[in-house]
Amino acid sequence: MPRCALRGQTFAFKADPFEAGPDAAVAHDSDGAVVVEDGRIVEVGPAAAMLARYPGIRVDAYPGQVIMAGFVDCHIHYPQTRVIASYGAQLIDWLNRYTFPAELAFADPAHAAAIAEIFLDEVLRNGTTTVCSYCTVHPESVDAFFTTATARGMRVAGGKVLMDRNAPAGLLDTAQTGYDQSKDLIARWHGSGRCTYVVSPRFAPTSTPEQLAAAGALWREHPGTLMQTHVSENLKEIAWVRDLYPDCPDYVGVYERYGLLGPGANLGHGIHLSEREKAVLRATGSGISHCPTSNTFIGSGLFDLAGFTEGAAPVPVGLATDVGGGSSFSMLATMRAAYEIAQLRGHSLHPVKAYHLATLGSARVLRLEDRIGNLAAGYEADMIVLDPAATPILAERTRSAGSLAEVLFALMILGDNRAVTATYVAGRRVGGSGS
Ligand code: GUN
Ligand code: ZN
């Protein structure tokens, strides 16, 4: 792909705001540019001086708009696209009433392909360029997901859900078939183009100890793959896990026993963890996906974000929509929910930290922080353009904004997909509100 450039307000990270503080972490140029070639960022710098060195280059101009890395949603369920906005249930009822019936339909590859298309279009419309998604128990659902993402050139992670109990018969595998099918899928998809495979035992209640052991073995046998599951989301769920695994000290202890913790482990929710469980996550380098709209929408609880990110030994935390438990595909709306939950816990989440969680934080949980999540030379050119004047109230609120942080905050509180002017995947413009 020939060289091209984007020009506008560039926003990148030169340090981790949780370590260096928000001000020292930001690289911002009010008239900056990004030069892209062959799907990668070549250079980011002041527009006038830098572009003078590239005579004749095509420039997509976004004066006054914010150019940044695309969002990374590190926990989502593409098969639950039609489950979003399902009324009146908490986790276990919600799974039985809405989610499992919806997932049964993915035995049909044509249905899986159709939903994967709708899902990824919605993801890109919202400025999310990478997702880590659960598929269903059906291997065909994984083929549909990776095939559709590959056609869009997207970097994605995903995997076949493993479930061998406590779900409808049509959604069950066995420890052996789940292992065998996942192994085949790893051979087919892991490292193919921009795809990463994720070993995906759904959560402890829907797997036997034998299946969790097989999942741990499979993950160990395939270095570079990731592992995703759910943990400590809902109080009834936690009591159920205690009954099902009486020999384990707690919920995290179940995953610890079966070899499912470590760098590249991506645990969704983690709302009600004990101090012992937190210490185990820290010691093993496991990551957490914070899913704030899901945690409020299905009534699960208020995640202690600061407790994980602000201490001396932080845990890798990413930000995630968890659609269909989550109520929005927008990472801007998800940042707003994270801010509101932090407020309810007596802590104000700084916007620069929120955007870091939504990009590099999530990328780190997925072990992709050297490839995606920042606007910097060498990074893959997955980028978005946000318009601080996208709606009348955003325009009004940002008219007098004195700093980039204030603009970013207004965008995350007031913005949604309408604020995403453009989405670029590997340097190619693929969507946005203008498309
Ligand atoms: N726990 C087990 N499965 C799920 C799921 O699909 N969504 C959520 N939010 N929690 C879960
Ligand atoms: Zn989930």
Side-chain angles (χ1 to χ4, degrees), residues 316-331:
V317 177
L319 195 65
T321 62
D322 192 30
V323 164
S327 55
S328 175
F329 277 83
S330 169
M331 291 295 278

Side-chain angles (χ1 to χ4, degrees), residues 11 66 68 351-352 355 403-413:
F11 162 42
V66 177
M68 60 173 284
V352 167
Y355 282 75
S403 67
L404 174 70
E406 210 176 326
V407 169
L408 293 175
F409 190 59
L411 279 163
M412 73 184 234
I413 300 303

Side-chain angles (χ1 to χ4, degrees), residues 75-77 80 134 230 233 269 291 322:
H75 178 130
I76 193 166
H77 301 252
Q80 296 174 19
Y134 289 76
H230 296 81
E233 175 178 3
H269 305 280
C291 308
D322 192 30

Side-chain angles (χ1 to χ4, degrees), residues 227 229 231-232 250-253 255-256 260-289 303 308 313-317:
M227 193 295 301
T229 190
V231 74
S232 200
D250 45 40
Y251 203 156
V252 165
Y255 298 139
E256 187 181 17
L260 294 166
L261 300 180
N266 174 5
L267 307 177
H269 305 280
I271 300 170
H272 309 284
L273 298 171
S274 67
E275 289 310 312
R276 193 204 85 88
E277 291 177 294
K278 292 179 188 175
V280 171
L281 296 182
R282 277 199 183 90
T284 55
S286 307
I288 291 195
S289 290
F303 178 67
F308 286 99
V315 169
V317 177

Side-chain angles (χ1 to χ4, degrees), residues 77 80 91 94-95 99 202-203 230 233 269 294 298 322:
H77 301 252
Q80 296 174 19
L91 180 62
W94 176 86
L95 285 170
T99 301
R202 179 176 215 116
F203 68 156
H230 296 81
E233 175 178 3
H269 305 280
S294 171
I298 53 181
D322 192 30

Side-chain angles (χ1 to χ4, degrees), residues 169-187:
L171 288 183
L172 297 181
D173 52 16
T174 68
Q176 190 63 48
T177 61
Y179 175 95
D180 292 343
Q181 291 169 346
S182 302
K183 194 175 162 111
D184 280 354
L185 289 163
I186 290 170

